[in-house]
Amino acid sequence: MSDETGSVSEAEIAVHWGEEAYFTPPESFVAQANLTDRDIRKRYSLENFPNYYEDFANLLSWDRKWDKLLDSSNPPFYKWFVGGRLNVSYNCIDRHLEKYRNKTAIHFVPEPENEHIEHVTYQELWVKVNEFAAFLRDKVGVKQGDRVTIHMPMVPELPVTMLALARLGAIHSVVFAGFSAKACAGRIVDSESRVLITMDGYYRAGTLLDHKEKADVACDEASAEGQKVETVLVWQRYPGRYSSPTPLKAGRDLVVNDELPAFRGKRVAPVSVPAEDPLFLMYTSGSTGRPKGAQHSTGGYLSYVTWTSKMIQDIHPDDVYWCMADIGWITGHSYIVYGPLALAASTVIYEGTPTYPDAGRPWRVAEELGVNIFHTSPTSIRALRKAGGGNPEKYNYHFKHMTTVGEPIEPDVWKWYHKVVGKGEAVIVDTWWQTENGGFLCSTVPAVDKMKPGSAGPPIPGIHPMILDEDGNRMPAGTGKAGNICIENPWPGMFQGIWHDPDRFVATYFTKYNKNPKSKDWRDWPYFAGDGAMLAADGYFRILGRIDDVINVAGHRLGTKELESAALTVAGVAEAAVVAAKDDIKGVMPEIYVSLQPGVEANAAMAKKVSDAVAKEIGPIARPRKVWLVPDLPKTRSGKIMRRILAAISNNNPDTGDITTLANPEMVEQIQKIHQAG
Ligand code: WT7
């Protein structure tokens, strides 16, 4: 744990959050659930490792069964289902056709509310994927093992593209559409892609954005760095009409919708690939340096997301499942595309901003489509709450199951989600995991475990986490202290490495707690997640956030989330973000940025209430140096609050870094002004 600011060197963080009362899963949910075995964690204990992972792989259709379940001879590089062969697009489409040909695979909800929702059946998906795969193979020359960068928004053509590449055994690298051309270029270069697949435009908050222009800049930048993109494929948001003001570049760009008619009726046999062939790269930023290309496998990854989608998301083929994340993130790969489609569910893809044109939009979508499983992030939940909630009670939908993912959820926000969005009827899972992990690592098993607001809960069956202190000692449960969460065992969804950088893989995730770099025993290679966490006496893990989100005030470690959670107990507070501001006396002190719910006045009394709540909930040590009441917090397009920018402002650092990926870049200047006015 980095500790430049204070004097404490131990990993332990004192945690002030109180223990919350349990919520019991509704009977009606338990009665229909996929996983009700109360002994599941016993069956999936370390003594039975790795054999229980056969259950995961058995959910898939294999062309050839594996010879060896796990090859752990070279830790921390593991090989799962060695000798097995399969194809991902076959598993997500072809194998469902006999039973579910006419069932909707994808519901596409365009952002403009006057455009019809599109329903793509499994048969239609099969036709589209085959024709596009034929085009990629026969016209563009894409082959097994090629890396192809995709920079596309939330449209059904995105999973079609991913599945067509998977059908050919090519490796996709999807870049979040909200990312800049520069970010896209960096990923093109690192993955050595010679093909870029994009779209002319898409809707965001009521505007049809020009997306194609980013492709031109990305290709120029990539070529300046030595990676030439030979072909740019452009999907049309409105088939038959080119919707971008940016011209096409002759000799390089092809409009997919113009090319496809030549491939009508073409079929491509799924390429049977070894289980260990990479399926995709997903770039994620580390705390320093260039983004890391997390490399995910075919067999292990698909087994893991399919099992967790079935048992933790409780997806049945007749469910309508909506995950509001973006496919450009790992959540979207695992839990919009691959998991739900492998289970023959209907998955919803929503193009735009959840609160567009108003906060009632998600509930109108849920009502129209009969969504019964809903999946989103604490940030979206807070944003919806801030926008007034959108009156879920006015809409006739019923969720049996809701997920939260991506950051710790404050107990107050959890309870709002449960009561207002879930109408008190839905079970909730708080799922903790990372881009590197492929799928969930901690969560309640929804029909088996009670829920505890603010806690991710026990491990996913088969995952064996532990909390280690700075010296690598295992910290016992129930001490009220937090340390570093690590995973003891390898699992099939775990990434295979960082693309082209095995040393960085070992150094970032394993070196910290490996005592013998020569050891060939996986037990000597705990996976270091980089999150602070605490294990309660009941076996529930509470995640405090990235270790670098911990603030050290006068030698006292505080999790930023704890302070934010305290601020959210004040009526009228919508969102809160805590940053460390340098202080001459205490090293650093917390400053808190707060946005208010509509109609709540921003005044000194409100700021004092927030400050008092933090001091009361956590202790006077945590009292913020300053409470800044601001119109909105700077957020990425995926909804993550950019604490880094706020920290720059609090520390009078004029360099707020790259703000091009923000959903609301104008906020930065506004907040700077508020800060200057003091
Ligand atoms: C980081 C990973 C997991 C896919 C989306 C984010 C934080 C994630 C939780 C949770 C508390 C959480 C951690 C983790 N995080 N889920 N349920 N409770 N914190 O993927 O961008 O790789 O971020 O998100 O800090 O390390 P990511």
Side-chain angles (χ1 to χ4, degrees):
M1 184 177 293
S2 78
D3 189 30
E4 311 99 38
T5 47
S7 53
V8 181
S9 61
E10 75 274 22
E12 296 98 289
I13 306 154
V15 175
H16 309 79
W17 246 337
E19 287 294 308
E20 294 283 330
Y22 293 113
F23 284 63
T24 311
E27 278 304 318
S28 54
F29 178 83
V30 177
Q32 58 82 62
N34 279 326
L35 178 53
T36 51
D37 175 6
R38 302 198 153 269
D39 289 329
I40 183 80
R41 291 196 181 82
K42 236 178 273 163
R43 286 204 287 124
Y44 288 8
S45 67
L46 274 183
E47 291 94 81
N48 299 328
F49 176 85
N51 295 334
Y52 51 77
Y53 281 123
E54 288 220 4
D55 294 354
F56 291 54
N58 283 334
L59 294 176
L60 304 183
S61 306
W62 294 79
D63 303 328
R64 183 184 187 279
K65 203 188 152 165
W66 56 92
D67 307 308
K68 198 170 170 50
L69 188 66
L70 168 64
D71 174 358
S72 63
S73 60
N74 183 30
F77 299 90
Y78 304 105
K79 296 194 168 99
W80 287 93
F81 311 118
V82 185
R85 297 185 83 96
L86 74 167
N87 179 278
V88 166
S89 89
Y90 178 86
N91 272 277
C92 291
I93 311 172
D94 304 48
R95 67 170 176 155
H96 305 320
L97 293 179
E98 199 182 314
K99 226 168 144 186
Y100 299 115
R101 195 178 297 278
N102 291 319
K103 181 180 183 299
T104 298
I106 296 170
H107 295 287
F108 170 55
V109 183
E111 191 188 70
E113 218 163 355
N114 59 359
E115 284 185 24
H116 280 291
I117 294 182
E118 199 181 306
H119 311 278
V120 183
T121 65
Y122 273 94
Q123 178 75 11
E124 287 169 326
L125 183 61
W126 181 74
V127 169
K128 284 175 196 284
V129 166
N130 270 282
E131 292 178 355
F132 189 56
F135 162 69
L136 287 173
R137 184 188 62 187
D138 301 341
K139 174 114 189 200
V140 187
V142 173
K143 311 180 298 301
Q144 185 174 358
D146 285 357
R147 279 82 56 208
V148 173
T149 298
I150 305 174
H151 197 202
M152 287 177 67
M154 286 288 286
V155 290
E157 288 81 359
L158 175 50
V160 166
T161 301
M162 294 159 72
L163 289 161
L165 288 163
R167 198 167 188 87
L168 299 173
I171 303 170
H172 58 71
S173 165
V174 180
V175 181
F176 173 53
F179 271 162
S180 64
K182 203 174 156 63
C184 183
R187 288 150 173 81
I188 289 171
V189 173
D190 192 76
S191 63
E192 296 159 309
S193 299
R194 47 170 207 91
V195 177
L196 171 66
I197 307 180
T198 187
M199 190 167 237
D200 51 1
Y202 66 100
Y203 280 97
R204 194 78 206 173
T207 311
L208 182 61
L209 302 177
D210 178 8
H211 189 60
K212 162 64 165 65
E213 68 175 339
K214 287 187 179 174
D216 290 4
V217 179
C219 290
D220 288 349
E221 295 235 357
S223 130
E225 289 179 47
Q227 180 61 38
K228 185 167 186 296
V229 175
E230 292 158 15
T231 310
V232 175
L233 305 178
V234 188
W235 286 96
Q236 290 171 327
R237 170 63 177 75
Y238 292 101
R241 159 157 50 113
Y242 183 61
S243 302
S244 162
T246 306
L248 295 161
K249 192 167 166 190
R252 188 197 66 186
D253 299 354
L254 291 174
V255 172
V256 176
N257 305 74
D258 293 344
E259 301 289 328
L260 279 177
F263 295 85
R264 207 169 150 73
K266 291 272 186 317
R267 304 291 175 249
V268 173
V271 175
S272 188
V273 304
E276 274 298 299
D277 268 18
L279 174 63
F280 66 88
L281 306 177
M282 169 61 65
Y283 284 85
T284 178
S285 3
S287 40
T288 53
R290 61 207 156 71
K292 303 172 275 203
Q295 175 186 326
H296 284 281
S297 75
T298 298
Y301 171 80
L302 195 66
S303 301
Y304 198 72
V305 299
T306 305
W307 192 93
T308 48
S309 292
K310 179 163 181 174
M311 307 307 183
I312 305 298
Q313 299 285 281
D314 198 55
I315 296 178
H316 301 61
D318 49 359
D319 285 326
V320 181
Y321 168 89
W322 184 13
C323 171
M324 269 199 337
D326 195 289
I327 294 172
W329 306 113
I330 191 75
T331 303
H333 276 50
S334 300
Y335 298 115
I336 297 177
V337 179
Y338 290 121
L341 294 180
L343 294 170
S346 303
T347 189
V348 177
I349 294 182
Y350 173 59
E351 179 179 30
T353 309
T355 49
Y356 183 84
D358 58 74
R361 186 68 190 277
W363 323 135
R364 290 195 288 282
V365 171
E367 181 182 270
E368 176 163 352
L369 295 176
V371 173
N372 65 341
I373 307 181
F374 186 68
H375 183 154
T376 191
S377 64
T379 296
S380 301
I381 301 167
R382 287 188 295 261
L384 283 165
R385 193 172 77 141
K386 178 174 185 218
N391 302 99
E393 73 287 350
K394 283 211 284 204
Y395 298 97
N396 182 22
Y397 72 82
H398 296 276
F399 296 151
K400 69 167 184 178
H401 182 294
M402 302 195 302
T403 298
T404 153
V405 62
E407 39 178 329
I409 182 163
E410 303 81 359
D412 259 39
V413 175
W414 192 101
K415 287 177 201 165
W416 182 85
Y417 190 37
H418 181 259
K419 185 170 154 209
V420 180
V421 177
K423 302 179 176 180
E425 304 165 331
V427 74
I428 296 185
V429 294
D430 176 349
T431 57
W432 169 72
W433 59 299
Q434 310 170 299
T435 301
E436 294 88 338
N437 309 150
F440 308 142
L441 293 182
C442 278
S443 163
T444 48
V445 173
V448 168
D449 305 310
K450 289 180 177 148
M451 302 164 254
K452 190 161 77 173
S455 277
I460 296 296
I463 296 290
H464 299 277
M466 52 189 178
I467 309 262
L468 299 182
D469 70 13
E470 209 54 25
D471 305 320
N473 303 309
R474 201 186 263 257
M475 295 172 63
T479 60
K481 291 205 161 189
N484 297 325
I485 189 165
C486 295
I487 312 295
E488 212 175 337
N489 60 300
W491 66 99
M494 175 178 156
F495 66 146
Q496 298 173 297
I498 297 174
W499 183 251
H500 281 341
D501 203 345
D503 296 342
R504 191 173 178 199
F505 173 68
V506 176
T508 309
Y509 303 99
F510 300 96
T511 300
K512 184 170 176 79
Y513 288 122
N514 169 257
K515 296 196 179 91
N516 173 12
K518 293 216 166 68
S519 170
K520 296 292 171 202
D521 185 344
W522 58 263
R523 289 168 196 81
D524 292 326
W525 295 88
Y527 169 79
F528 169 66
D531 277 327
M534 184 188 84
L535 177 57
D538 57 7
Y540 279 47
F541 288 88
R542 174 171 281 177
I543 309 296
L544 299 178
R546 307 295 304 168
I547 283 158
D548 20 314
D549 286 343
V550 172
I551 301 184
N552 191 330
V553 184
H556 198 92
R557 282 174 187 276
L558 301 168
T560 49
K561 258 297 132 173
E562 294 186 84
L563 277 72
E564 292 165 8
S565 183
L568 283 165
T569 63
V570 177
V573 169
E575 292 186 287
V578 168
V579 300
K582 292 219 164 49
D583 187 89
D584 292 345
I585 299 178
K586 299 195 170 166
V588 294
M589 283 200 61
E591 290 200 352
I592 185 159
Y593 289 80
V594 167
S595 69
L596 302 173
Q597 284 168 6
V600 182
E601 205 191 319
N603 54 26
M606 192 66 199
K608 181 165 187 309
K609 269 194 210 164
V610 171
S611 178
D612 287 350
V614 173
K616 177 175 152 267
E617 297 274 326
I618 294 170
I621 181 87
R623 187 183 282 282
R625 187 169 73 179
K626 182 82 192 174
V627 177
W628 301 102
L629 300 174
V630 297
D632 199 3
L633 300 172
K635 267 174 247 152
T636 63
R637 306 279 284 276
S638 67
K640 284 218 178 191
I641 297 173
M642 295 296 279
R643 291 182 182 75
R644 166 176 71 71
I645 293 171
L646 297 172
I649 297 174
S650 272
N651 289 301
N652 298 313
N653 179 356
D655 179 14
T656 48
D658 179 26
I659 60 167
T660 53
T661 59
L662 292 190
N664 53 355
E666 72 286 354
M667 254 324 121
V668 177
E669 217 182 292
Q670 281 196 45
I671 296 173
Q672 273 167 331
K673 284 207 182 106
I674 293 172
H675 187 257
Q676 275 152 20

